[in-house]
Amino acid sequence: MLTCSAVSTRLVRLFVDLCAPPLCPLCRAALAHGQAELCSDCQADLPQSPERRCHGCGGANAGHLALCPECLRVGARPWDFAVSAFPFHGLVRDAIHCYKYRRRTSLAPFFARCMAEAWTAYAENRRIDAITPVPLHWFRTWQRGYNQAAILSRLIAKQLQVNCITPLRRIRYTRQQARMDLTQRRKNVHGAFAVANRKAVVNQRLLLVDDVFTTGATLAAATAVLLDAGAASVSVLTIARD
Ligand SMILES: [Zn+2]
Ligand SMILES: [Zn+2]
């Protein structure tokens, strides 16, 4: 039986829905009452990674080994395991662009939910103690107004019921890496990170969160300083694998 307060909560929610119907987070079309989180068009267009994925980057893996050809070529990744929620193209690519560069932070709950679900589905029951975002340099945070990875980390931590910690600092301003190859990216992020709070890291199994996995150079530099500061292990979770 519904209590008075449950009835009034439902009435308030109904009223709010009537005034401002929920929107599809990807295309912002109004969702019909009771419709799923995405509109049917976006649901149909959402790119999906295949079931078989690479343990090194979280991307598709057509081969028989645990690692995809690119990860085998790059050599040992410093993290234990990587999971990515989507391939980086189509609707997901556009949405990430809006999320990072056009202040569409309303996309964060959708991305975070998909990332938490992908981690649960593909990480083979790996245990983690805390989630931590790849930090931005303070100047870039100021320019952008937010750190997209930090917002995701807080939401994912809630879903996976672990702590969200921020022990990493970006101590050097680095250039945008979009047009760089792996060697240039490695050089660009060398010495870019430091651990500000070693106590928070020691013996912790950490899940490092970022938006897009491209070459893995940024994630590798951040992972290296976390392991150096005493983390028991680092795994990686991104929205998409490029
Ligand atoms: Zn939509
Ligand atoms: Zn791979």
Side-chain angles (χ1 to χ4, degrees):
M1 210 169 93
L2 289 171
T3 63
C4 265
S5 73
V7 170
S8 56
T9 308
R10 283 190 182 188
L11 283 174
V12 168
R13 203 169 291 156
L14 187 64
F15 181 73
V16 169
D17 280 359
L18 285 174
C19 295
L23 302 180
C24 171
L26 294 180
C27 70
R28 289 167 144 179
L31 296 172
H33 182 68
Q35 201 175 2
E37 187 181 11
L38 295 183
C39 73
S40 46
D41 286 351
C42 288
Q43 197 96 50
D45 290 346
L46 200 63
Q48 300 288 348
S49 292
E51 267 309 297
R52 230 186 107 58
R53 302 192 186 185
C54 170
H55 295 187
C57 65
N61 185 10
H64 295 292
L65 301 171
L67 300 178
C68 71
E70 189 186 328
C71 284
L72 288 171
R73 196 170 57 247
V74 168
R77 304 282 198 185
W79 50 81
D80 270 13
F81 203 83
V83 170
S84 211
F86 297 105
F88 187 61
H89 58 74
L91 205 54
V92 166
R93 188 192 190 113
D94 296 345
I96 291 175
H97 187 87
C98 291
Y99 178 50
K100 264 178 94 165
Y101 304 112
R102 295 200 198 152
R103 296 176 174 259
R104 281 268 298 280
T105 50
S106 58
L107 281 159
F110 169 72
F111 286 145
R113 188 181 58 70
C114 295
M115 291 165 84
E117 283 175 7
W119 175 258
T120 307
Y122 293 99
E124 302 175 347
N125 295 320
R126 275 178 174 71
R127 301 291 300 272
I128 46 163
D129 301 307
I131 295 190
T132 192
V134 169
L136 293 180
H137 189 268
W138 68 265
F139 185 67
R140 184 148 293 146
T141 309
W142 176 76
Q143 277 179 317
R144 190 169 291 168
Y146 54 96
N147 173 358
Q148 68 279 4
I151 299 175
L152 294 172
S153 295
R154 287 194 291 272
L155 294 168
I156 296 165
K158 256 188 213 161
Q159 291 206 33
L160 297 180
Q161 298 185 313
V162 293
N163 288 332
C164 178
I165 61 171
T166 52
L168 280 172
R169 297 289 176 272
R170 202 138 178 159
I171 52 173
R172 201 160 56 69
Y173 189 79
T174 51
R175 287 178 296 133
Q176 295 277 14
Q177 305 194 115
R179 296 206 179 122
M180 296 183 194
D181 64 18
L182 176 60
T183 313
Q184 291 167 323
R185 283 170 186 244
R186 277 183 177 154
K187 214 170 156 191
N188 191 39
V189 291
H190 181 75
F193 297 103
V195 171
N197 182 1
R198 282 180 172 258
K199 256 193 199 159
V201 165
V202 171
N203 294 329
Q204 295 289 293
R205 294 166 295 187
L206 299 174
L207 182 57
L208 182 62
V209 165
D210 204 3
D211 43 36
V212 182
F213 188 118
T214 307
T215 63
T218 302
L219 288 158
T223 298
V225 296
L226 288 170
L227 291 173
D228 202 43
S233 66
V234 177
S235 288
V236 159
L237 178 61
T238 55
I239 307 173
R241 167 68 166 114
D242 190 1

